[in-house]
Amino acid sequence: HGGGFSALLTSAPVGADAALLQALPQLQVISSFGVGLDKIDLAAAQARGIAVGYTPDVLNDCVADTAWGLLIDVARGFSAADRFVRRGAWPQGAFPLGRKVSGARLGLVGMGRIGRSIAQRSTGFQMAVRYHCRRPVADLPWTHEPVLLDLARWADFLVLITAGGAATRHLVNAEVLDALGPQGFLI
């Protein structure tokens, strides 16, 4: 029945690849619930004149909150400590101390809407912030770091906030992880 549809409703995780678009020859519009467009074949849609809409800004705060939850969890070990207690390991020895978050160095890979939300939250922790993206973003109080390896060497916490897909595949590789070092955290 693909020839009978003029509109497609999808979500960011599902998207719409070229094969699906080809199976819908009368398609005129794609509406995606979610922020990411990396699973929608935008080139194929554009070539056919198919309008694509999505919902930016809807999840900025939720994703930033989640990034902060993960950052604090890996630094302080809340979920690991919970598992430690639940499995009854506490009589055999103390749970290791966590790492301090306040005053640490926060490196952000990506400085879009979500990156800004994460960076703004860092002020409550008196963190130094630097970011890496293709070009500096105007009117930001944080330092742009043009070389990802330099950002990884500097950061205590390296948070990735980039779109998925071919352009960012292997952006963080062994060299970046080595630069972050054994005391650094990747979120």
PDB file of all heavy atoms in Angstrom, residues 110-142:
ATOM      1  N   GLY A 110      30.764  19.220  21.039  1.00  0.00           N
ATOM      2  CA  GLY A 110      29.503  19.700  20.495  1.00  0.00           C
ATOM      3  C   GLY A 110      29.010  20.859  21.339  1.00  0.00           C
ATOM      4  O   GLY A 110      29.083  20.811  22.572  1.00  0.00           O
ATOM      5  N   MET A 111      28.558  21.922  20.689  1.00  0.00           N
ATOM      6  CA  MET A 111      28.065  23.078  21.432  1.00  0.00           C
ATOM      7  C   MET A 111      26.813  23.622  20.763  1.00  0.00           C
ATOM      8  O   MET A 111      26.705  24.787  20.415  1.00  0.00           O
ATOM      9  CB  MET A 111      29.148  24.160  21.533  1.00  0.00           C
ATOM     10  CG  MET A 111      28.811  25.315  22.466  1.00  0.00           C
ATOM     11  SD  MET A 111      28.157  24.870  24.074  1.00  0.00           S
ATOM     12  CE  MET A 111      29.640  24.576  25.005  1.00  0.00           C
ATOM     13  N   GLY A 112      25.841  22.736  20.617  1.00  0.00           N
ATOM     14  CA  GLY A 112      24.520  23.148  20.150  1.00  0.00           C
ATOM     15  C   GLY A 112      23.658  23.496  21.347  1.00  0.00           C
ATOM     16  O   GLY A 112      24.152  23.844  22.418  1.00  0.00           O
ATOM     17  N   ARG A 113      22.370  23.384  21.165  1.00  0.00           N
ATOM     18  CA  ARG A 113      21.430  23.729  22.234  1.00  0.00           C
ATOM     19  C   ARG A 113      21.638  22.880  23.486  1.00  0.00           C
ATOM     20  O   ARG A 113      21.622  23.388  24.602  1.00  0.00           O
ATOM     21  CB  ARG A 113      20.001  23.586  21.718  1.00  0.00           C
ATOM     22  CG  ARG A 113      19.641  24.586  20.625  1.00  0.00           C
ATOM     23  CD  ARG A 113      18.230  24.369  20.091  1.00  0.00           C
ATOM     24  NE  ARG A 113      18.070  23.092  19.420  1.00  0.00           N
ATOM     25  CZ  ARG A 113      18.144  22.908  18.112  1.00  0.00           C
ATOM     26  NH1 ARG A 113      18.386  23.929  17.320  1.00  0.00           N
ATOM     27  NH2 ARG A 113      17.976  21.712  17.591  1.00  0.00           N
ATOM     28  N   ILE A 114      21.858  21.589  23.304  1.00  0.00           N
ATOM     29  CA  ILE A 114      22.045  20.710  24.456  1.00  0.00           C
ATOM     30  C   ILE A 114      23.398  20.971  25.111  1.00  0.00           C
ATOM     31  O   ILE A 114      23.500  21.010  26.343  1.00  0.00           O
ATOM     32  CB  ILE A 114      21.881  19.237  24.046  1.00  0.00           C
ATOM     33  CG1 ILE A 114      20.441  18.987  23.593  1.00  0.00           C
ATOM     34  CG2 ILE A 114      22.253  18.304  25.197  1.00  0.00           C
ATOM     35  CD1 ILE A 114      20.209  17.640  22.933  1.00  0.00           C
ATOM     36  N   GLY A 115      24.423  21.162  24.316  1.00  0.00           N
ATOM     37  CA  GLY A 115      25.738  21.480  24.871  1.00  0.00           C
ATOM     38  C   GLY A 115      25.699  22.729  25.732  1.00  0.00           C
ATOM     39  O   GLY A 115      26.297  22.775  26.817  1.00  0.00           O
ATOM     40  N   ARG A 116      24.994  23.746  25.265  1.00  0.00           N
ATOM     41  CA  ARG A 116      24.855  24.971  26.067  1.00  0.00           C
ATOM     42  C   ARG A 116      24.129  24.701  27.379  1.00  0.00           C
ATOM     43  O   ARG A 116      24.491  25.242  28.420  1.00  0.00           O
ATOM     44  CB  ARG A 116      24.118  26.037  25.263  1.00  0.00           C
ATOM     45  CG  ARG A 116      25.000  26.679  24.225  1.00  0.00           C
ATOM     46  CD  ARG A 116      24.296  27.825  23.501  1.00  0.00           C
ATOM     47  NE  ARG A 116      24.853  27.851  22.161  1.00  0.00           N
ATOM     48  CZ  ARG A 116      24.181  27.661  21.052  1.00  0.00           C
ATOM     49  NH1 ARG A 116      22.881  27.491  21.079  1.00  0.00           N
ATOM     50  NH2 ARG A 116      24.781  27.667  19.888  1.00  0.00           N
ATOM     51  N   SER A 117      23.101  23.867  27.323  1.00  0.00           N
ATOM     52  CA  SER A 117      22.360  23.535  28.552  1.00  0.00           C
ATOM     53  C   SER A 117      23.245  22.796  29.554  1.00  0.00           C
ATOM     54  O   SER A 117      23.177  23.050  30.753  1.00  0.00           O
ATOM     55  CB  SER A 117      21.134  22.682  28.219  1.00  0.00           C
ATOM     56  OG  SER A 117      20.199  23.425  27.483  1.00  0.00           O
ATOM     57  N   ILE A 118      24.088  21.894  29.063  1.00  0.00           N
ATOM     58  CA  ILE A 118      25.010  21.173  29.947  1.00  0.00           C
ATOM     59  C   ILE A 118      26.030  22.147  30.531  1.00  0.00           C
ATOM     60  O   ILE A 118      26.303  22.125  31.733  1.00  0.00           O
ATOM     61  CB  ILE A 118      25.705  20.029  29.189  1.00  0.00           C
ATOM     62  CG1 ILE A 118      24.682  18.952  28.800  1.00  0.00           C
ATOM     63  CG2 ILE A 118      26.835  19.421  30.022  1.00  0.00           C
ATOM     64  CD1 ILE A 118      25.213  17.914  27.831  1.00  0.00           C
ATOM     65  N   ALA A 119      26.585  23.007  29.686  1.00  0.00           N
ATOM     66  CA  ALA A 119      27.579  23.974  30.153  1.00  0.00           C
ATOM     67  C   ALA A 119      26.994  24.928  31.189  1.00  0.00           C
ATOM     68  O   ALA A 119      27.639  25.243  32.198  1.00  0.00           O
ATOM     69  CB  ALA A 119      28.148  24.752  28.971  1.00  0.00           C
ATOM     70  N   GLN A 120      25.780  25.386  30.978  1.00  0.00           N
ATOM     71  CA  GLN A 120      25.148  26.291  31.940  1.00  0.00           C
ATOM     72  C   GLN A 120      25.006  25.630  33.305  1.00  0.00           C
ATOM     73  O   GLN A 120      25.184  26.276  34.336  1.00  0.00           O
ATOM     74  CB  GLN A 120      23.781  26.743  31.425  1.00  0.00           C
ATOM     75  CG  GLN A 120      23.893  27.718  30.277  1.00  0.00           C
ATOM     76  CD  GLN A 120      22.583  27.931  29.537  1.00  0.00           C
ATOM     77  OE1 GLN A 120      21.628  27.185  29.688  1.00  0.00           O
ATOM     78  NE2 GLN A 120      22.554  28.973  28.713  1.00  0.00           N
ATOM     79  N   ARG A 121      24.705  24.351  33.344  1.00  0.00           N
ATOM     80  CA  ARG A 121      24.567  23.644  34.611  1.00  0.00           C
ATOM     81  C   ARG A 121      25.893  23.536  35.352  1.00  0.00           C
ATOM     82  O   ARG A 121      25.927  23.372  36.572  1.00  0.00           O
ATOM     83  CB  ARG A 121      23.973  22.251  34.374  1.00  0.00           C
ATOM     84  CG  ARG A 121      22.481  22.291  34.082  1.00  0.00           C
ATOM     85  CD  ARG A 121      22.015  21.003  33.402  1.00  0.00           C
ATOM     86  NE  ARG A 121      20.579  20.920  33.246  1.00  0.00           N
ATOM     87  CZ  ARG A 121      19.864  21.638  32.382  1.00  0.00           C
ATOM     88  NH1 ARG A 121      20.462  22.496  31.567  1.00  0.00           N
ATOM     89  NH2 ARG A 121      18.550  21.498  32.311  1.00  0.00           N
ATOM     90  N   SER A 122      27.008  23.615  34.627  1.00  0.00           N
ATOM     91  CA  SER A 122      28.325  23.472  35.251  1.00  0.00           C
ATOM     92  C   SER A 122      28.668  24.638  36.176  1.00  0.00           C
ATOM     93  O   SER A 122      29.529  24.499  37.047  1.00  0.00           O
ATOM     94  CB  SER A 122      29.413  23.336  34.186  1.00  0.00           C
ATOM     95  OG  SER A 122      29.634  24.581  33.540  1.00  0.00           O
ATOM     96  N   THR A 123      28.015  25.772  35.996  1.00  0.00           N
ATOM     97  CA  THR A 123      28.340  26.931  36.836  1.00  0.00           C
ATOM     98  C   THR A 123      28.061  26.650  38.304  1.00  0.00           C
ATOM     99  O   THR A 123      28.772  27.161  39.174  1.00  0.00           O
ATOM    100  CB  THR A 123      27.571  28.197  36.386  1.00  0.00           C
ATOM    101  OG1 THR A 123      26.169  27.944  36.490  1.00  0.00           O
ATOM    102  CG2 THR A 123      27.925  28.572  34.957  1.00  0.00           C
ATOM    103  N   GLY A 124      27.056  25.839  38.588  1.00  0.00           N
ATOM    104  CA  GLY A 124      26.766  25.476  39.964  1.00  0.00           C
ATOM    105  C   GLY A 124      27.840  24.604  40.596  1.00  0.00           C
ATOM    106  O   GLY A 124      27.875  24.436  41.818  1.00  0.00           O
ATOM    107  N   PHE A 125      28.714  24.062  39.787  1.00  0.00           N
ATOM    108  CA  PHE A 125      29.807  23.213  40.272  1.00  0.00           C
ATOM    109  C   PHE A 125      31.164  23.905  40.133  1.00  0.00           C
ATOM    110  O   PHE A 125      32.194  23.267  40.309  1.00  0.00           O
ATOM    111  CB  PHE A 125      29.815  21.884  39.504  1.00  0.00           C
ATOM    112  CG  PHE A 125      28.658  20.999  39.828  1.00  0.00           C
ATOM    113  CD1 PHE A 125      27.469  21.104  39.110  1.00  0.00           C
ATOM    114  CD2 PHE A 125      28.733  20.076  40.856  1.00  0.00           C
ATOM    115  CE1 PHE A 125      26.384  20.297  39.409  1.00  0.00           C
ATOM    116  CE2 PHE A 125      27.654  19.272  41.161  1.00  0.00           C
ATOM    117  CZ  PHE A 125      26.469  19.374  40.439  1.00  0.00           C
ATOM    118  N   GLN A 126      31.149  25.192  39.801  1.00  0.00           N
ATOM    119  CA  GLN A 126      32.386  25.975  39.632  1.00  0.00           C
ATOM    120  C   GLN A 126      33.388  25.256  38.724  1.00  0.00           C
ATOM    121  O   GLN A 126      34.580  25.198  39.002  1.00  0.00           O
ATOM    122  CB  GLN A 126      33.049  26.296  40.979  1.00  0.00           C
ATOM    123  CG  GLN A 126      32.237  27.170  41.893  1.00  0.00           C
ATOM    124  CD  GLN A 126      31.314  26.357  42.794  1.00  0.00           C
ATOM    125  OE1 GLN A 126      31.646  25.270  43.224  1.00  0.00           O
ATOM    126  NE2 GLN A 126      30.138  26.896  43.048  1.00  0.00           N
ATOM    127  N   MET A 127      32.905  24.728  37.624  1.00  0.00           N
ATOM    128  CA  MET A 127      33.759  23.994  36.697  1.00  0.00           C
ATOM    129  C   MET A 127      34.300  24.917  35.611  1.00  0.00           C
ATOM    130  O   MET A 127      33.616  25.830  35.170  1.00  0.00           O
ATOM    131  CB  MET A 127      32.976  22.862  36.034  1.00  0.00           C
ATOM    132  CG  MET A 127      32.491  21.801  36.996  1.00  0.00           C
ATOM    133  SD  MET A 127      31.543  20.517  36.154  1.00  0.00           S
ATOM    134  CE  MET A 127      32.866  19.370  35.761  1.00  0.00           C
ATOM    135  N   ALA A 128      35.521  24.641  35.193  1.00  0.00           N
ATOM    136  CA  ALA A 128      36.066  25.270  33.996  1.00  0.00           C
ATOM    137  C   ALA A 128      35.500  24.496  32.812  1.00  0.00           C
ATOM    138  O   ALA A 128      35.429  23.270  32.848  1.00  0.00           O
ATOM    139  CB  ALA A 128      37.583  25.198  34.006  1.00  0.00           C
ATOM    140  N   VAL A 129      35.081  25.207  31.765  1.00  0.00           N
ATOM    141  CA  VAL A 129      34.453  24.569  30.606  1.00  0.00           C
ATOM    142  C   VAL A 129      35.172  24.980  29.331  1.00  0.00           C
ATOM    143  O   VAL A 129      35.452  26.166  29.118  1.00  0.00           O
ATOM    144  CB  VAL A 129      32.959  24.955  30.504  1.00  0.00           C
ATOM    145  CG1 VAL A 129      32.327  24.356  29.250  1.00  0.00           C
ATOM    146  CG2 VAL A 129      32.198  24.522  31.746  1.00  0.00           C
ATOM    147  N   ARG A 130      35.439  23.989  28.511  1.00  0.00           N
ATOM    148  CA  ARG A 130      35.915  24.215  27.144  1.00  0.00           C
ATOM    149  C   ARG A 130      35.084  23.325  26.238  1.00  0.00           C
ATOM    150  O   ARG A 130      34.551  22.309  26.668  1.00  0.00           O
ATOM    151  CB  ARG A 130      37.394  23.871  26.993  1.00  0.00           C
ATOM    152  CG  ARG A 130      38.311  24.791  27.779  1.00  0.00           C
ATOM    153  CD  ARG A 130      39.755  24.446  27.522  1.00  0.00           C
ATOM    154  NE  ARG A 130      40.621  25.250  28.381  1.00  0.00           N
ATOM    155  CZ  ARG A 130      41.929  25.099  28.462  1.00  0.00           C
ATOM    156  NH1 ARG A 130      42.541  24.180  27.737  1.00  0.00           N
ATOM    157  NH2 ARG A 130      42.631  25.861  29.268  1.00  0.00           N
ATOM    158  N   TYR A 131      35.022  23.691  24.969  1.00  0.00           N
ATOM    159  CA  TYR A 131      34.234  22.893  24.039  1.00  0.00           C
ATOM    160  C   TYR A 131      34.951  22.753  22.711  1.00  0.00           C
ATOM    161  O   TYR A 131      35.785  23.572  22.332  1.00  0.00           O
ATOM    162  CB  TYR A 131      32.836  23.487  23.837  1.00  0.00           C
ATOM    163  CG  TYR A 131      32.812  24.802  23.090  1.00  0.00           C
ATOM    164  CD1 TYR A 131      32.580  24.838  21.717  1.00  0.00           C
ATOM    165  CD2 TYR A 131      33.024  26.005  23.750  1.00  0.00           C
ATOM    166  CE1 TYR A 131      32.554  26.040  21.027  1.00  0.00           C
ATOM    167  CE2 TYR A 131      33.003  27.209  23.071  1.00  0.00           C
ATOM    168  CZ  TYR A 131      32.773  27.228  21.711  1.00  0.00           C
ATOM    169  OH  TYR A 131      32.757  28.412  21.029  1.00  0.00           O
ATOM    170  N   HIS A 132      34.597  21.682  22.004  1.00  0.00           N
ATOM    171  CA  HIS A 132      35.139  21.425  20.676  1.00  0.00           C
ATOM    172  C   HIS A 132      33.977  21.253  19.705  1.00  0.00           C
ATOM    173  O   HIS A 132      33.026  20.520  19.975  1.00  0.00           O
ATOM    174  CB  HIS A 132      35.982  20.149  20.681  1.00  0.00           C
ATOM    175  CG  HIS A 132      36.379  19.702  19.314  1.00  0.00           C
ATOM    176  ND1 HIS A 132      37.400  20.296  18.619  1.00  0.00           N
ATOM    177  CD2 HIS A 132      35.875  18.741  18.503  1.00  0.00           C
ATOM    178  CE1 HIS A 132      37.515  19.703  17.434  1.00  0.00           C
ATOM    179  NE2 HIS A 132      36.596  18.756  17.344  1.00  0.00           N
ATOM    180  N   CYS A 133      34.036  21.958  18.622  1.00  0.00           N
ATOM    181  CA  CYS A 133      33.132  21.765  17.487  1.00  0.00           C
ATOM    182  C   CYS A 133      33.831  22.357  16.275  1.00  0.00           C
ATOM    183  O   CYS A 133      34.942  22.865  16.393  1.00  0.00           O
ATOM    184  CB  CYS A 133      31.741  22.356  17.738  1.00  0.00           C
ATOM    185  SG  CYS A 133      31.698  24.092  18.118  1.00  0.00           S
ATOM    186  N   ARG A 134      33.205  22.288  15.117  1.00  0.00           N
ATOM    187  CA  ARG A 134      33.869  22.705  13.877  1.00  0.00           C
ATOM    188  C   ARG A 134      34.369  24.145  13.903  1.00  0.00           C
ATOM    189  O   ARG A 134      35.417  24.453  13.378  1.00  0.00           O
ATOM    190  CB  ARG A 134      32.930  22.505  12.690  1.00  0.00           C
ATOM    191  CG  ARG A 134      32.860  21.064  12.263  1.00  0.00           C
ATOM    192  CD  ARG A 134      31.829  20.859  11.186  1.00  0.00           C
ATOM    193  NE  ARG A 134      30.797  20.036  11.818  1.00  0.00           N
ATOM    194  CZ  ARG A 134      29.519  20.116  11.578  1.00  0.00           C
ATOM    195  NH1 ARG A 134      29.044  20.948  10.711  1.00  0.00           N
ATOM    196  NH2 ARG A 134      28.685  19.330  12.213  1.00  0.00           N
ATOM    197  N   ARG A 135      33.598  25.017  14.527  1.00  0.00           N
ATOM    198  CA  ARG A 135      34.018  26.429  14.586  1.00  0.00           C
ATOM    199  C   ARG A 135      33.495  27.041  15.887  1.00  0.00           C
ATOM    200  O   ARG A 135      32.502  26.573  16.439  1.00  0.00           O
ATOM    201  CB  ARG A 135      33.521  27.204  13.378  1.00  0.00           C
ATOM    202  CG  ARG A 135      32.037  27.169  13.150  1.00  0.00           C
ATOM    203  CD  ARG A 135      31.652  27.693  11.752  1.00  0.00           C
ATOM    204  NE  ARG A 135      30.369  27.180  11.331  1.00  0.00           N
ATOM    205  CZ  ARG A 135      30.140  25.987  10.800  1.00  0.00           C
ATOM    206  NH1 ARG A 135      31.124  25.154  10.632  1.00  0.00           N
ATOM    207  NH2 ARG A 135      28.942  25.599  10.444  1.00  0.00           N
ATOM    208  N   PRO A 136      34.152  28.074  16.370  1.00  0.00           N
ATOM    209  CA  PRO A 136      33.699  28.708  17.618  1.00  0.00           C
ATOM    210  C   PRO A 136      32.273  29.239  17.482  1.00  0.00           C
ATOM    211  O   PRO A 136      31.851  29.673  16.412  1.00  0.00           O
ATOM    212  CB  PRO A 136      34.679  29.872  17.806  1.00  0.00           C
ATOM    213  CG  PRO A 136      35.847  29.565  16.938  1.00  0.00           C
ATOM    214  CD  PRO A 136      35.342  28.717  15.809  1.00  0.00           C
ATOM    215  N   VAL A 137      31.546  29.176  18.578  1.00  0.00           N
ATOM    216  CA  VAL A 137      30.181  29.698  18.629  1.00  0.00           C
ATOM    217  C   VAL A 137      30.259  31.097  19.234  1.00  0.00           C
ATOM    218  O   VAL A 137      30.864  31.296  20.288  1.00  0.00           O
ATOM    219  CB  VAL A 137      29.261  28.794  19.479  1.00  0.00           C
ATOM    220  CG1 VAL A 137      27.852  29.352  19.529  1.00  0.00           C
ATOM    221  CG2 VAL A 137      29.261  27.369  18.913  1.00  0.00           C
ATOM    222  N   ALA A 138      29.648  32.063  18.556  1.00  0.00           N
ATOM    223  CA  ALA A 138      29.720  33.463  19.001  1.00  0.00           C
ATOM    224  C   ALA A 138      29.001  33.656  20.331  1.00  0.00           C
ATOM    225  O   ALA A 138      28.028  32.971  20.645  1.00  0.00           O
ATOM    226  CB  ALA A 138      29.098  34.375  17.937  1.00  0.00           C
ATOM    227  N   ASP A 139      29.505  34.606  21.100  1.00  0.00           N
ATOM    228  CA  ASP A 139      28.863  35.080  22.330  1.00  0.00           C
ATOM    229  C   ASP A 139      28.727  34.017  23.414  1.00  0.00           C
ATOM    230  O   ASP A 139      27.738  34.015  24.149  1.00  0.00           O
ATOM    231  CB  ASP A 139      27.485  35.691  22.021  1.00  0.00           C
ATOM    232  CG  ASP A 139      27.582  36.864  21.055  1.00  0.00           C
ATOM    233  OD1 ASP A 139      28.566  37.625  21.154  1.00  0.00           O
ATOM    234  OD2 ASP A 139      26.696  36.996  20.200  1.00  0.00           O
ATOM    235  N   LEU A 140      29.687  33.130  23.515  1.00  0.00           N
ATOM    236  CA  LEU A 140      29.684  32.149  24.598  1.00  0.00           C
ATOM    237  C   LEU A 140      30.807  32.482  25.579  1.00  0.00           C
ATOM    238  O   LEU A 140      31.884  32.902  25.167  1.00  0.00           O
ATOM    239  CB  LEU A 140      29.899  30.727  24.068  1.00  0.00           C
ATOM    240  CG  LEU A 140      28.777  30.103  23.260  1.00  0.00           C
ATOM    241  CD1 LEU A 140      29.157  28.684  22.857  1.00  0.00           C
ATOM    242  CD2 LEU A 140      27.480  30.099  24.036  1.00  0.00           C
ATOM    243  N   PRO A 141      30.590  32.259  26.856  1.00  0.00           N
ATOM    244  CA  PRO A 141      31.640  32.549  27.835  1.00  0.00           C
ATOM    245  C   PRO A 141      32.691  31.446  27.948  1.00  0.00           C
ATOM    246  O   PRO A 141      33.670  31.599  28.665  1.00  0.00           O
ATOM    247  CB  PRO A 141      30.857  32.671  29.150  1.00  0.00           C
ATOM    248  CG  PRO A 141      29.672  31.792  28.959  1.00  0.00           C
ATOM    249  CD  PRO A 141      29.326  31.902  27.489  1.00  0.00           C
ATOM    250  N   TRP A 142      32.506  30.328  27.220  1.00  0.00           N
ATOM    251  CA  TRP A 142      33.403  29.195  27.340  1.00  0.00           C
ATOM    252  C   TRP A 142      34.403  29.176  26.200  1.00  0.00           C
ATOM    253  O   TRP A 142      34.149  29.664  25.112  1.00  0.00           O
ATOM    254  CB  TRP A 142      32.594  27.898  27.379  1.00  0.00           C
ATOM    255  CG  TRP A 142      31.515  27.969  28.409  1.00  0.00           C
ATOM    256  CD1 TRP A 142      31.673  28.041  29.762  1.00  0.00           C
ATOM    257  CD2 TRP A 142      30.105  28.038  28.163  1.00  0.00           C
ATOM    258  NE1 TRP A 142      30.462  28.133  30.376  1.00  0.00           N
ATOM    259  CE2 TRP A 142      29.463  28.131  29.421  1.00  0.00           C
ATOM    260  CE3 TRP A 142      29.314  28.023  27.020  1.00  0.00           C
ATOM    261  CZ2 TRP A 142      28.089  28.209  29.555  1.00  0.00           C
ATOM    262  CZ3 TRP A 142      27.937  28.100  27.155  1.00  0.00           C
ATOM    263  CH2 TRP A 142      27.343  28.187  28.419  1.00  0.00           C
TER     264      TRP A 142
END
